[in-house]
């Protein structure tokens, strides 16, 4: 009887596990198809200079318009895509879209325009970054769109790269062709202060979870900004939701910021208006 119950539990567990695996496979298949058939879109969130309020760039953020499921956030499909090489396809697709888009905006504005330095930032997963061909892909994508390498930022999660010598080498190769690298979700990983100076990165993106009303968090943000600057890095704060947070970032000399208080991620047409104006519009 005891054995019977035991087996019953195993079967229930098996069924749940199988359902989970099936569901993941469904998502994967549907996303693979969706990528090929235009269901994946890119939104562009403006990144603004904290001191002047002017546009310094956009972060490209993937959205999946899955039939019957509505518009899905990356949290609903990136973790599944990361289980296989599908994430490389997704990342390359977003890279291509974002770089092409920036190229189109630049042409629309005239090449020598004052906004010639506006950048676009693209998120890369560890698996994408570990592909030895990634540097070639980036170089040819930029060349095809006529976008200078200095206008592309590649964002990688702090937790993904810091303990991986292979990924650090890849980042160094990417920086050698002129693109810049931002350490995303900074503060949630394990980077030591001393290591920062030697990492092949240009920018820290302070995770939004530190932008709270808690005085201890506020002191940490000030410390992260000072540490970044002491290490020769620039700082972007992400997830700025309130005016007082922005004021404190200005007081801390944080370089740039993004967040709902400044602008939500925008569809390409609206982002194009921001590109043309050099400041958030509407
Ligand atoms: P992330 O790179 O840290 O991007 C910032 C996230 O914060 C975005 O979420 C953005 O929409 C959201 N956000 C912007 N302003 C605010 C704010 O004021 N408050 C709060 N609470 N959140 C804000 P999103 O678009 O859902 O993306 C989530 C994550 O998915 C991204 O985090 C990034 O790690 C990943 N991701 C997005 N697109 C791609 C992609 O093309 N490839 C890969 N590998 N990952 C991607
Ligand atoms: Mg990011
Ligand atoms: Mg982040
Ligand atoms: Mg994040």
């Amino acid at each position: 009887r005891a054995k019977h119950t035991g087996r019953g539990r195993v079967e229930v567990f098996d069924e749940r596990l199988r359902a989970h695996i099936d569901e993941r496979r469904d998502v994967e298949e549907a996303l693979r198809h969706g990528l090929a058939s235009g269901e994946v879109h890119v939104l562009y969130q403006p990144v603004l200079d904290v001191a002047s309020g002017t546009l310094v760039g956009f972060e490209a953020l993937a959205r999946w318009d899955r039939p019957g499921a509505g518009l899905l956030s990356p949290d609903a499909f990136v973790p599944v895509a990361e289980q296989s090489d599908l994430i490389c396809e997704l990342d390359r697709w977003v890279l291509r879209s974002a770089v092409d888009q920036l190229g189109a905006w630049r042409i629309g504005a005239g090449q020598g325009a004052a906004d010639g330095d506006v950048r676009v930032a693209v998120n890369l997963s560890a698996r994408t970054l570990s592909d030895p061909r990634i540097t070639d892909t980036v170089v040819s994508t930029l060349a095809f769109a006529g976008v200078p390498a200095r206008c592309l930022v590649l964002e990688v999660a702090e937790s993904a790269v810091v303990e991986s010598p292979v990924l650090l080498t890849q980042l160094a190769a990417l920086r050698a062709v002129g693109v810049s690298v931002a350490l995303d979700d900074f503060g949630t990983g394990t980077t030591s202060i001393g290591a920062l100076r030697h990492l092949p990165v240009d920018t820290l993106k302070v995770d939004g979870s530190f932008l709270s009303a808690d005085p201890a968090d506020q002191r940490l943000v000030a410390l992260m900004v000072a540490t970044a600057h002491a290490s020769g890095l620039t700082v972007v704060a992400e997830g700025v939701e309130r005016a007082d947070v922005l004021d404190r970032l200005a007081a801390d000399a944080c370089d740039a910021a993004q967040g709902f208080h400044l602008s939500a991620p925008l569809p390409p047409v609206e982002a194009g208006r921001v590109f043309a104006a050099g400041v958030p519009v509407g």
Side-chain angles (χ1 to χ4, degrees):
R1 188 169 285 273
K3 255 188 206 159
H4 198 82
T5 311
R7 197 182 302 136
R9 278 208 200 114
V10 169
E11 275 164 16
V12 168
F13 177 72
D14 265 3
E15 258 165 49
R16 282 201 197 135
L17 187 64
R18 188 167 309 122
H20 181 74
I21 290 171
D22 284 350
E23 137 122 52
R24 223 172 55 189
R25 194 171 300 141
D26 282 353
V27 171
E28 196 187 316
E29 240 166 65
L31 178 58
R32 206 177 283 283
H33 174 263
L35 255 182
S37 56
E39 291 168 14
V40 176
H41 304 272
V42 181
L43 297 183
Y44 297 89
Q45 185 170 41
V47 180
L48 305 184
D49 182 82
V50 169
S52 67
T54 57
L55 182 73
V56 295
F58 294 93
E59 178 172 7
L61 295 160
R63 295 291 180 272
W64 177 22
D65 200 354
R66 186 180 182 186
L71 200 63
L72 300 182
S73 290
D75 301 328
F77 58 89
V78 163
V80 175
E82 281 178 333
Q83 306 286 323
S84 74
D85 281 348
L86 182 55
I87 191 63
C88 307
E89 281 173 51
L90 175 73
D91 284 352
R92 275 198 303 263
W93 190 89
V94 172
L95 171 73
R96 167 87 83 88
S97 303
V99 169
D100 283 354
Q101 181 63 80
L102 182 62
W105 286 333
R106 287 170 59 88
I107 288 166
Q111 289 286 334
D115 41 28
D117 284 329
V118 169
R119 305 196 287 182
V120 70
V122 173
N123 294 283
L124 296 185
S125 286
R127 197 195 274 260
T128 309
L129 189 61
S130 67
D131 183 337
R133 292 162 303 183
I134 188 65
T135 305
D136 288 346
T137 301
V138 164
V139 168
S140 59
T141 303
L142 288 166
F144 184 80
V147 169
R150 66 183 156 79
C151 292
L152 177 64
V153 181
L154 298 174
E155 298 194 4
V156 292
E158 180 196 9
S159 53
V161 296
V162 161
E163 281 169 55
S164 167
V166 173
L167 296 189
L168 292 175
T169 305
Q170 293 280 84
L171 290 181
L174 285 160
R175 285 181 85 216
V177 302
V179 306
S180 52
V181 171
L183 215 48
D184 208 346
D185 304 334
F186 184 76
T188 63
T190 57
T191 314
S192 72
I193 285 183
L196 268 184
R197 197 153 61 90
H198 305 291
L199 288 178
V201 305
D202 304 275
T203 301
L204 299 186
K205 292 197 80 170
V206 172
D207 194 69
S209 60
F210 292 96
L211 304 182
S212 76
D214 182 342
D217 277 340
Q218 295 173 10
R219 286 192 296 271
L220 277 176
V221 170
L223 187 66
M224 286 190 259
V225 172
T227 303
H229 288 167
S231 309
L233 308 177
T234 59
V235 191
V236 180
E238 62 180 0
V240 176
E241 294 178 349
R242 297 198 325 258
D244 61 306
V245 172
L246 190 60
D247 292 343
R248 273 201 317 274
L249 290 170
D252 291 341
C254 180
D255 302 288
Q258 66 188 84
F260 299 149
H261 172 65
L262 299 163
S263 170
L266 303 172
V269 171
E270 286 170 48
R273 287 191 205 110
V274 175
F275 180 91
V279 287
V281 290

